[in-house]
Amino acid sequence: MLKISRKTDYALYVLGLLSEQKGSVSLRELAKFGNLPYRFLSQIMGVLKSYGFVHSKEGVHGGYKLAKRPQDIRVTAVIEAFEGPMSVVSCFLEADCHSAEHCPSQSLWSVIQSHLAQVLDSYTLADLIQKNPDSKSGAFSTMLSHA
């Protein structure tokens, strides 16, 4: 079963929150507003930073902000940063599958894998934000502007 982890789901959520910010947002503010465990979020932000999705700045006015425009952040790239290469079956990740020639379901898995990759690669962070304009992230910028 193909399953996206909670870390990946939260990563996309936090990137959506950050997409509405002009300046940096502290980890504490992100955790509080998103109702996310601080330590868990800290791990997520570390991965997002190491893959170049966010910049971080230390200090009083420090925090996190997007390193790229939302339209330049592919959903596939975020998923692969946390999950590794996507595959509907494990044998697609193996360099030398011994039963590939005789596998009755290989063509089915290949079609599904191709469609999955195509759909995920067609979405950017901007698309996710645009498709969910009533998300909680919209309230985040309002909350910070009144803080």
Side-chain angles (χ1 to χ4, degrees):
M1 176 167 88
L2 180 66
K3 185 176 179 182
I4 302 297
S5 70
R6 183 166 282 145
K7 269 189 181 179
T8 303
D9 189 32
Y10 285 174
L12 289 166
Y13 174 62
V14 169
L15 288 171
L17 294 176
L18 290 174
S19 72
E20 299 177 337
Q21 305 308 306
K22 291 185 175 130
S24 297
V25 181
S26 76
L27 188 62
R28 214 165 286 293
E29 288 174 313
L30 285 170
K32 182 179 178 182
F33 182 78
N35 197 26
L36 303 171
Y38 181 86
R39 286 186 180 168
F40 192 49
L41 182 57
S42 178
Q43 293 171 9
I44 292 167
M45 298 311 290
V47 173
L48 290 173
K49 182 180 176 187
S50 71
Y51 278 84
F53 298 113
V54 298
H55 290 300
S56 68
K57 181 179 171 186
E58 293 185 24
V60 176
H61 300 289
Y64 292 91
K65 65 180 183 177
L66 289 184
K68 302 175 181 183
R69 299 176 314 157
Q71 57 268 33
D72 295 331
I73 298 176
R74 296 237 161 258
V75 170
T76 302
V78 177
I79 292 172
E80 289 182 350
F82 288 88
E83 309 292 339
M86 296 286 291
S87 181
V88 293
V89 289
S90 61
C91 63
F92 281 6
L93 297 175
E94 297 171 8
D96 188 24
C97 178
H98 301 290
S99 60
E101 291 178 25
H102 310 290
C103 180
S105 57
Q106 183 184 23
S107 62
L108 171 65
W109 301 136
S110 182
V111 168
I112 293 170
Q113 178 73 31
S114 176
H115 285 293
L116 176 65
Q118 184 180 4
V119 168
L120 289 176
D121 202 42
S122 72
Y123 278 85
T124 65
L125 180 60
D127 295 323
L128 296 182
I129 296 163
Q130 200 171 52
K131 290 187 187 306
N132 193 12
D134 297 327
S135 72
K136 190 176 178 184
S137 64
F140 189 63
S141 57
T142 304
M143 181 198 79
L144 288 178
S145 65
H146 290 62

